[in-house]
Amino acid sequence: MSSASSDSSLLIREDSYVTLHYRISLASGPGEGEVFADTFTGRPATLQLGAGQWAPGMEGPLVGHAEGERFSYTLAPVHAYGDRNPELIQRVTLAMLREHAGDENFEPGDLVEFQAPNGAKYSGIFKEKDATTAVFDFNHPLAGHALQIDVAILGVM
């Protein structure tokens, strides 16, 4: 730990609001080293731990650290966005695609948002289509990847 205040009220708890800079990089797989998100080059972020803004496994290593600390940690896929699930690669009809996504003309790699009948929204990566169907990957883009997370804690409430 770096030298930070010993005031325990400034230590991160499981329900703290934390203002921080962070960088999330891929620590495994074909894109290893690629930066997925980086606030060090702009405005810091504020997270409410336990509110679902980050996966619980990503938040856990923050707990117990103090304002002013800078540190890094690596997470296995199971503690970040999980392993890739082959069942989340789905084939949908073009009629369903038009109805729930509003279009059927996408390029491979496009992130497409769908509206479910109950009003919920979900997204998938367009992979390919044929005359009657299209294939989407509904896994989180970071699923199956270990992550390197670099943080600088700016404030704790």
Side-chain angles (χ1 to χ4, degrees), residues 30-149:
E32 186 172 349
E34 183 178 326
V35 175
F36 187 77
D38 187 351
T39 68
F40 283 95
T41 59
R43 294 180 51 162
T46 298
L47 301 175
Q48 179 183 1
L49 271 59
Q53 293 171 294
W54 274 14
M58 291 174 61
E59 291 181 354
L62 301 176
V63 174
H65 286 278
E67 282 185 10
E69 286 191 57
R70 293 180 71 105
F71 57 98
S72 299
Y73 54 98
T74 302
L75 293 175
V78 69
H79 297 296
Y81 290 95
D83 292 318
R84 293 191 53 73
N85 181 348
E87 292 180 14
L88 292 178
I89 298 174
Q90 299 281 320
R91 186 170 293 277
V92 299
T93 66
L94 296 183
M96 188 171 113
L97 186 57
R98 283 189 297 274
E99 180 181 344
H100 295 287
D103 198 355
E104 67 177 66
N105 298 310
F106 300 104
E107 296 293 322
D110 283 352
L111 180 64
V112 179
E113 186 172 271
F114 292 82
Q115 179 94 25
N118 67 3
K121 293 182 180 180
Y122 55 100
S123 300
I125 303 291
F126 175 77
K127 303 304 263 179
E128 62 186 38
K129 80 174 184 177
D130 59 27
T132 58
T133 63
V135 175
F136 285 87
D137 183 349
F138 293 103
N139 283 285
H140 188 282
L142 294 178
H145 291 280
L147 302 179
Q148 168 75 30
I149 301 174

